[in-house]
Amino acid sequence: MVKITLEVPEELSHKLVQLGDRLPELLALSLEQPPLPTRVYQYILDFLVSNPTSEQILAFRPTAEMQERMQTLLRRNKAGELNPTEQKELDEYERIEHLIIMLKTGNLSHLTTNL
């Protein structure tokens, strides 16, 4: 394990001491970035909590920005040029796409009845 020395304000040092052995875990979590920008998740969540009709669910599409990014990632993937961060991003887009397809085909219909 590596030892790191940091200078922090007194107020923060008291909070860090209270964390004790959890500090490395919390630092690791704070450094992990979600695979996609928050606005992507927010767009999808906003749609789902709007209590969409069946027609709206069928018509739901990614934003133009999301579509463009996915196309870029797919092109780079096909060319074998994705870095690990981009691969995680593409994987996350694919997971979301799978869930939306399941919702559209009725395999997640309980989501719409519980909103």
Side-chain angles (χ1 to χ4, degrees):
M1 188 177 291
V2 175
K3 185 175 186 173
I4 299 174
T5 304
L6 297 173
E7 290 186 27
V8 296
E10 189 71 29
E11 183 178 300
L12 180 57
S13 71
H14 294 298
K15 291 179 182 180
L16 293 174
V17 169
Q18 291 173 353
L19 293 174
D21 293 344
R22 292 195 60 217
L23 183 57
E25 172 192 356
L26 293 173
L27 282 171
L29 286 172
S30 70
L31 294 174
E32 289 241 352
Q33 297 296 316
L36 302 177
T38 303
R39 67 184 173 279
V40 172
Y41 297 111
Q42 191 64 52
Y43 171 73
I44 295 164
L45 287 173
D46 287 346
F47 172 74
L48 291 174
V49 299
S50 73
N51 199 18
T53 64
S54 297
E55 292 80 18
Q56 289 171 319
I57 291 171
L58 288 174
F60 182 75
R61 299 283 181 267
T63 65
E65 176 188 8
M66 291 164 60
Q67 289 177 16
E68 184 178 322
R69 181 62 180 156
M70 285 187 286
Q71 290 302 316
T72 298
L73 291 170
L74 289 169
R75 276 192 303 274
R76 289 180 50 77
N77 185 48
K78 189 174 182 178
E81 299 172 347
L82 285 183
N83 65 43
T85 301
E86 291 170 324
Q87 184 63 56
K88 286 180 184 179
E89 185 180 358
L90 180 59
D91 291 346
E92 187 70 358
Y93 272 122
E94 289 174 345
R95 273 191 286 280
I96 290 171
E97 180 181 31
H98 180 72
L99 287 171
I100 297 299
I101 289 169
M102 289 176 64
L103 182 63
K104 288 181 178 193
T105 61
N107 291 322
L108 295 178
S109 59
H110 62 281
L111 285 181
T112 59
T113 59
N114 292 329
L115 292 177

